[in-house]
Amino acid sequence: MYNFDQIADRSHDHSRKWCPKFVETEYGKVPEDYIAMSIADMDFEIAPCIYDKFKEIIEDRTFGYIYAYDEFLTAVKLWTEAKVGREISKDEILPFNGVVPSLNLICHTFAQPGDSMIILSPVYGPFRKVAQNNQLEILESDLRLNEEGQYEVDFDNFERLVQNHHPKLFILCNPQNPSGRIWTRDEIQHLADICLENNVLFVSDEVHSDHIYRGPFTSALALDEKYLKNTLVACGPNKGFNFAGLCTSYVLIPDDQIRTKFKASMETNCIALPNMMGMAAVCAAYTDEGRKWLEANYAYLIDNYEWAQNFVDEEMPQISSMKIEASYLMWLNVSQLGLDGDEFTHRLAQEQGVLVQSGSIFGSAGKDYVRVNIGTSKDLVQNAFYRMKKLYNEINN
C-alpha cells in the first residue's frame, strides 16, 4: 500500500539536512554524493491522508487567521487518551508552534533569570539552549550504563543535585533522545516524587512517543492525580508524521493554575494564533488512516534499524550500538576506535560523505558517541553503513 523505498526528492525543498550550502556550514566540503543522516526528520513523503487534506485547503484558496477549533482538540484528545490510558479534557490542550518553543516559554514562565533547571545527560541539545535563553543555570545529572548497556537514571545523584541547588524545573525526554530509551513507569514516578517533594516543576517532552518499538510507553500524564498537579507535557505529531516544517505542537497541562499562568504567558508573548496547515495536518494524521500509515512506516524503519544493528554488531565490533526502544535514531559509541564523536563525525563526513551528528552536542556525557538517523530508504541506510565500514577499516589499518 505504501512504498517507503521511494523517498521524496529533497533537492529543492530547502532542507536543513540535505541543502549543500547548509551542509557545508556544518561539515565543510564533503563528497557530492553525501548521505544525510543527521537532523531528526525523515525523507518520506507525508501520509496520503495528510496530503489529501492539504489539497482540500488549497482548493478553498483562503489562508486567514484561525483558532483552535474543535476538530483539532478532539483529534489530540482521542490520540492522547489512547496513549496515556486516561481521559483528557480538551481544556488541558494548548496548541503551540513547536515543542522546543514551548519548552522555551515554559522556562520563561516558571523560572526567573538566575534560577536553575535540571536535565538528564546526554540529552537533546535544545534543552540547554532554552535554559541559556532564559539565563538559567543548567544542572546535568549524567545517565549511567547498566549491565545491558542501556541508560539508567542515577537517582541518588539526581536527588542530590535537586536538594543542593533547588532547580525550578526538570525537563525529561521520554522516549529519550538520543538513545531511544523508554523510561519505565517506576522510573518516571521516582523522578516525579523527587520533583514533587522539592517543589520542582516536572516537564516531559514526549515528541518521540509515536514511535514505540519495545514498549510499553508510559506518559507522565499516566501517573496518579497528585503528580498531574505538577506536570506539563510537550508533544506533537512532528516525529511520527514528519511535518516539523509546519511548526505545530501542543502542551498538555492538567492543573488549572499552571495552565492559566502558561496561557497568560502565551498571550503576553503573542503566541496565540495556530498554523492553519499544521492544525489540518494533525486532524488528518490522528485518524485510523493516519495510524495505519504511521504503523507501516515505523515497521519499515524498524527493518532499517535491525539491519543496521546486526551490521554494526557483526562488521564493526569496536563500535557499540545502544539498542533502541523507540524512535528512529541510533546511538553509537565509537571510543574503542581511539576517536571521540567529533573526530569520527568529521572523518565520516569528509572521507565517506556520511553526515551524522556528534554526541558532543547532546552534552559532555555524549562525547564518545554519534547519533545516526535511519529515517530514510533501506538503500541509503545500507549504503551509509557500508561507507562507515570503509572508514572503520581505515582506522584499524
Side-chain angles (χ1 to χ4, degrees):
M1 185 176 180
Y2 310 109
N3 181 12
F4 297 116
D5 289 324
Q6 181 68 47
I7 58 175
D9 179 3
R10 306 206 65 188
S11 63
H12 56 271
D13 71 354
H14 308 293
S15 163
R16 289 180 60 190
K17 189 166 70 174
W18 287 98
C19 174
K21 290 183 179 179
F22 196 92
V23 164
E24 187 172 339
T25 64
E26 293 288 310
Y27 297 94
K29 285 287 187 181
V30 298
E32 291 185 0
D33 62 343
Y34 60 82
I35 300 173
M37 307 183 80
S38 51
I39 298 168
D41 66 9
M42 300 186 291
D43 296 327
F44 309 108
E45 295 180 350
I46 56 172
C49 57
I50 300 174
Y51 178 70
D52 290 342
K53 188 71 170 181
F54 286 168
K55 287 195 294 185
E56 290 179 16
I57 294 173
I58 292 169
E59 284 299 315
D60 287 341
R61 304 187 186 193
T62 57
F63 299 90
Y65 297 124
I66 65 167
Y67 59 94
Y69 47 85
D70 191 66
E71 182 186 0
F72 169 82
L73 296 173
T74 299
V76 173
K77 168 184 164 67
L78 295 177
W79 193 266
T80 304
E81 286 175 348
K83 194 181 294 184
V84 307
R86 76 167 182 88
E87 186 176 353
I88 301 292
S89 166
K90 293 178 185 177
D91 292 338
E92 297 178 35
I93 304 165
L94 300 180
F96 217 88
N97 60 352
V99 168
V100 173
S102 72
L103 296 177
N104 193 72
L105 190 64
I106 288 169
C107 290
H108 177 77
T109 305
F110 298 103
Q112 299 295 322
D115 288 338
S116 61
M117 62 169 269
I118 187 167
I119 57 177
L120 304 176
S121 185
V123 75
Y124 183 48
F127 283 16
R128 296 175 184 82
K129 178 64 174 174
V130 300
Q132 293 163 359
N133 288 347
N134 291 282
Q135 302 174 56
L136 305 180
E137 179 189 0
I138 305 168
L139 307 175
E140 301 198 21
S141 180
D142 286 354
L143 298 170
R144 60 191 182 192
L145 294 176
N146 62 22
E147 293 179 356
E148 290 76 40
Q150 300 292 97
Y151 280 137
E152 64 179 18
V153 180
D154 183 342
F155 289 105
D156 290 339
N157 176 259
F158 181 85
E159 187 167 20
R160 185 164 52 250
L161 285 171
V162 167
Q163 292 177 344
N164 289 344
H165 297 273
H166 311 290
K168 292 295 183 181
L169 56 139
F170 163 53
I171 303 182
L172 175 70
C173 196
N174 184 36
Q176 209 263 355
N177 178 8
S179 71
R181 173 73 209 283
I182 299 174
W183 302 115
T184 67
R185 185 184 186 91
D186 286 346
E187 288 170 322
I188 296 169
Q189 186 165 311
H190 195 166
L191 291 165
D193 276 325
I194 294 171
C195 288
L196 199 60
E197 291 165 5
N198 293 276
N199 198 29
V200 179
L201 192 63
F202 189 107
V203 183
S204 184
D205 172 353
E206 299 182 1
V207 74
H208 284 279
S209 61
D210 285 327
H211 283 148
I212 302 300
Y213 177 35
R214 297 185 178 96
F217 168 74
T218 300
S219 168
L221 295 173
L223 299 182
D224 294 341
E225 185 69 27
K226 69 175 182 178
Y227 301 108
L228 299 183
K229 296 181 181 298
N230 190 51
T231 298
L232 299 86
V233 168
C235 200
N238 298 335
K239 299 306 178 187
F241 291 94
N242 202 41
F243 50 79
L246 295 179
C247 299
T248 300
S249 69
Y250 43 87
V251 182
L252 299 154
I253 309 177
D255 183 75
D256 290 341
Q257 288 187 330
I258 295 175
R259 187 169 62 252
T260 297
K261 185 173 183 178
F262 189 65
K263 285 178 71 173
S265 187
M266 288 177 64
E267 292 172 3
T268 300
N269 288 275
C270 301
I271 303 170
L273 297 174
N275 179 302
M276 172 188 280
M277 301 299 278
M279 276 202 166
V282 171
C283 293
Y286 288 178
T287 59
D288 289 342
E289 190 175 350
R291 189 178 294 279
K292 289 176 184 176
W293 181 92
L294 176 70
E295 291 174 351
N297 178 255
Y298 197 48
Y300 184 92
L301 295 176
I302 290 304
D303 284 345
N304 279 352
Y305 163 70
E306 290 179 344
W307 181 91
Q309 180 74 50
N310 288 335
F311 185 84
V312 171
D313 290 345
E314 295 174 5
E315 301 293 332
M316 297 183 286
Q318 288 176 275
I319 296 178
S320 173
S321 176
M322 195 172 291
K323 291 178 170 55
I324 69 169
E325 298 172 344
S327 87
Y328 50 86
L329 306 168
M330 296 183 69
W331 189 233
L332 310 182
N333 187 325
V334 298
S335 60
Q336 289 187 47
L337 295 174
L339 303 176
D340 62 20
D342 288 345
E343 295 165 328
F344 187 84
T345 297
H346 179 75
R347 289 193 59 178
L348 188 61
Q350 295 289 311
E351 298 176 31
Q352 298 298 330
V354 176
L355 314 181
V356 300
Q357 288 188 312
S358 172
S360 63
I361 69 174
F362 300 90
S364 59
K367 65 181 179 61
D368 291 330
Y369 293 80
V370 297
R371 194 190 75 171
V372 184
N373 174 359
I374 55 171
T376 189
S377 69
K378 287 182 173 67
D379 180 63
L380 285 182
V381 169
Q382 293 179 10
N383 190 347
F385 276 89
Y386 289 141
R387 295 190 196 185
M388 189 184 295
K389 175 67 184 306
K390 291 181 180 178
L391 175 62
Y392 178 91
N393 290 340
E394 291 173 6
I395 293 170
N396 280 307
N397 285 338

